[in-house]
Amino acid sequence: MRLLLDTHIWLWYLQGSDRLSVELQGKIEDPKVQIWLSPISIWETLMLAEKGKINLGVPPQQWISDALKVLEVREATLNNDIAILSRTIQLPHQDPADRFIAATALYYDLVLATVDRNLTASEQLTTLS
């Protein structure tokens, strides 16, 4: 399995949140599962920290650097095709982070780990909660 972590799933896993399902935690820890992360999740984490919506306990750049060492992820590089796909994917809202993450999952043929109902309801995406 190739699993793209939505931003909240990445944060929940690394912060040991009990909001993360046991099944999803097991998949993330399974050495046979490839874990992917979009640079948009890095950007979104920085934005959430800057706005005071999350507290990482250390400067956000340091937290991200440490997090990328704790959980090995493959970078789902953004490209022109993903940018175009982000505007054509059928989602009920215009949130740019969600659109880029969803488009990334489609482009790379990844299962998207998310509990975001706007994404899990999409018939275009394969998701895991």
Side-chain angles (χ1 to χ4, degrees):
M1 175 181 281
R2 296 163 17 107
L3 193 62
L4 177 66
L5 304 184
D6 199 352
T7 306
H8 63 277
I9 299 296
W10 184 58
L11 290 168
W12 290 355
Y13 179 79
L14 290 166
Q15 295 180 328
S17 174
D18 61 0
R19 293 185 284 181
L20 187 67
S21 73
V22 172
E23 178 186 7
L24 195 46
Q25 183 170 344
K27 292 286 185 192
I28 293 169
E29 294 172 352
D30 184 338
K32 294 177 277 185
V33 175
Q34 290 181 5
I35 304 299
W36 292 68
L37 190 70
S38 168
I40 293 297
S41 290
I42 303 295
W43 173 83
E44 191 172 22
T45 299
L46 292 169
M47 295 294 293
L48 291 169
E50 288 171 14
K51 292 178 179 180
K53 294 191 177 194
I54 59 171
N55 180 359
L56 299 173
V58 297
Q61 293 82 356
Q62 179 186 340
W63 188 91
I64 288 168
S65 178
D66 293 344
L68 293 172
K69 293 174 188 165
V70 169
L71 180 62
E72 183 180 332
V73 296
R74 295 172 188 251
E75 181 180 353
T77 306
L78 294 174
N79 60 40
N80 296 336
D81 291 331
I82 291 172
I84 293 167
L85 191 54
S86 77
R87 298 307 309 148
T88 61
I89 190 169
Q90 298 298 310
L91 292 177
H93 64 324
Q94 295 299 319
D95 180 288
D98 280 358
R99 288 186 157 278
F100 270 105
I101 289 170
T104 298
L106 287 174
Y107 180 82
Y108 287 105
D109 193 26
L110 303 170
V111 175
L112 178 59
T114 187
V115 297
D116 183 330
R117 289 185 181 160
N118 289 316
L119 298 173
T120 59
S122 171
E123 293 180 8
Q124 294 177 277
L125 296 169
T126 302
T127 60
L128 179 64
S129 301

